[in-house]
Amino acid sequence: MPGLESRSHAPIGASYPACPACAKSVPDAAIERYGNYELFRCVACDLHFWEPRVMPDARWYEQMYGGRDERLLPLEPGHKYFLGDPLAPGRGELLDIGCGTGNFLAAARSAGYTVSGTELDRNAAQFAKEKLGLPRVLGLTIAEFADKYPREQFDVVTFFEVLEHQASPVEFLQKVKACVRPRGYIALSVPNRERWLTGPDVLDYPPNHFLRWNAGALRRLLIAQGFGILSVKEQTAGIVHTAQMINIALRTGLSGKATGKVAASFRDVMQMGPQEAAAALHATLTPRQRLVQFLGRVKHMACFPVAVAAYPYIRMRGYKGTYLYFLARLLQ
């Protein structure tokens, strides 16, 4: 494909991975490695994908994301883009896949939609039901939902920050299509692979994320699966994102120097077994570690005045933020 550069090829006789979006073989060598995983780039459709891809079970998500289950999180940019999109239907029956604690479902209900959701994290689903009065939040994957309710279809199916987690995006979209009425809509957001980064995003690694999308790769997949693209929005890098990138770029290694060891990042914790991960996530901090944590927050806050000063330059360069949003419509 024009404009896509090729990497050095893998050795002759090697077993080539197949792209999970377009099924083309990828003979080029991995572009990144982490632990037992390798990241490949498909020259045919421009998706970046990790191998191997084995999705964890619901208990893993409950363990890693348990902190979100106790409060109502603010709407994410993808949610806001959809609710403000003039091309979205504005009403009808809506199914949100991976609805979390139900913040978007509640907002969509207020906007005039009749809402249902799926969420594998049982604690998050319970919060949505009990705190937000959302009775229909089911602990099912989209495949299980489509199989259990084969005749149930919706005007809109949404999945914000979900597609990057999938081991098989084509199979996922085929199950989504089974739940969309003819000429119905889908809306989604994913982390934009082309966002401005000054260091690794610790969440963007397996087994949390298996796929890295940009606008071109996602557009190709949706069109191949029978959707017409209505809206695309790439978030621009704002003040908060700029401050985060400055903070990452100014890493001092203070935590390691002060405590005598480098604390495991969330990216490292994700690779641990259940018991080891639980110990790391719930470990009691020493007074020195709490001090270092406090100084880290102070350093982060100190980056905001610098971000404000740098923001005109960031805008001029056109740096992108985290979120990539699509609204599409089923063509048949």
Side-chain angles (χ1 to χ4, degrees):
M1 177 172 291
L4 302 183
E5 298 176 357
S6 177
R7 296 274 177 163
S8 59
H9 289 286
I12 295 175
S15 177
Y16 299 149
C19 173
C22 70
K24 298 291 180 62
S25 295
V26 179
D28 294 349
I31 59 175
E32 186 178 346
R33 291 180 174 83
Y34 186 76
N36 297 323
Y37 298 96
E38 293 183 312
L39 181 68
F40 293 90
R41 174 173 177 258
C42 177
V43 177
C45 73
D46 202 23
L47 174 67
H48 291 192
F49 62 95
W50 291 94
E51 290 282 349
R53 295 186 310 280
V54 179
M55 292 179 65
D57 59 19
R59 291 172 297 179
W60 186 90
Y61 291 103
E62 290 176 0
Q63 184 178 50
M64 294 297 163
Y65 289 95
R68 71 176 185 175
D69 301 338
E70 301 171 357
R71 64 190 189 278
L72 182 64
L73 297 175
L75 292 177
E76 297 174 357
H79 300 150
K80 296 177 182 178
Y81 294 155
F82 172 76
L83 294 171
D85 194 331
L87 298 179
R91 64 177 64 85
E93 293 183 278
L94 181 148
L95 174 68
D96 186 37
I97 302 168
C99 66
T101 53
N103 54 346
F104 168 69
L105 281 182
R109 179 179 58 186
S110 298
Y113 291 94
T114 301
V115 299
S116 300
T118 67
E119 175 54 53
L120 294 181
D121 185 331
R122 293 166 296 180
N123 296 323
Q126 184 177 2
F127 183 100
K129 292 177 181 178
E130 296 181 356
K131 302 296 183 181
L132 300 182
L134 296 165
R136 196 165 193 239
V137 176
L138 306 175
L140 302 171
T141 66
I142 186 58
E144 292 167 343
F145 183 93
D147 292 343
K148 187 172 183 178
Y149 303 102
R151 296 185 179 181
E152 189 161 357
Q153 293 185 317
F154 297 82
D155 301 293
V156 192
V157 175
T158 59
F159 42 104
F160 300 102
E161 307 304 295
V162 170
L163 190 59
E164 66 274 15
H165 295 272
Q166 302 305 310
S168 303
V170 171
E171 180 181 346
F172 175 84
L173 279 177
Q174 288 173 345
K175 293 298 183 180
V176 167
K177 286 172 62 176
C179 298
V180 179
R181 291 192 174 113
R183 302 290 295 168
Y185 297 78
I186 62 169
L188 68 143
S189 65
V190 293
N192 191 344
R193 195 180 75 219
E194 296 179 354
R195 66 194 180 278
W196 177 36
L197 289 173
T198 60
D201 180 343
V202 298
L203 292 175
D204 202 19
Y205 285 82
N208 191 41
H209 292 175
F210 289 113
L211 309 171
R212 292 181 176 176
W213 301 94
N214 64 4
L218 189 49
R219 181 185 294 272
R220 293 181 191 98
L221 175 68
L222 294 179
I223 291 174
Q225 293 303 310
F227 292 96
I229 309 302
L230 300 178
S231 299
V232 179
K233 187 172 180 61
E234 295 184 89
Q235 183 189 35
T236 57
I239 298 294
V240 173
H241 188 85
T242 300
Q244 291 171 339
M245 294 306 102
I246 293 172
N247 187 44
I248 292 174
L250 297 178
R251 282 181 173 154
T252 62
L254 177 63
S255 60
K257 295 175 184 176
T259 61
K261 62 179 181 179
V262 178
S265 72
F266 192 76
R267 181 176 63 165
D268 299 322
V269 174
M270 289 190 301
Q271 312 300 317
M272 298 176 181
Q275 292 183 344
E276 187 181 4
L281 290 168
H282 301 293
T284 301
L285 299 178
T286 66
R288 179 177 292 184
Q289 288 172 326
R290 285 196 293 269
L291 175 61
V292 169
Q293 193 177 73
F294 171 75
L295 292 176
R297 288 196 293 266
V298 171
K299 171 175 167 278
H300 186 203
M301 294 302 298
C303 292
F304 276 87
V306 182
V308 172
Y311 190 61
Y313 174 78
I314 300 303
R315 284 196 60 138
M316 181 185 69
R317 293 296 301 269
Y319 287 162
K320 298 174 182 177
T322 300
Y323 290 86
L324 172 62
Y325 161 83
F326 269 70
L327 175 73
R329 193 168 192 178
L330 193 59
L331 296 179
Q332 295 182 353

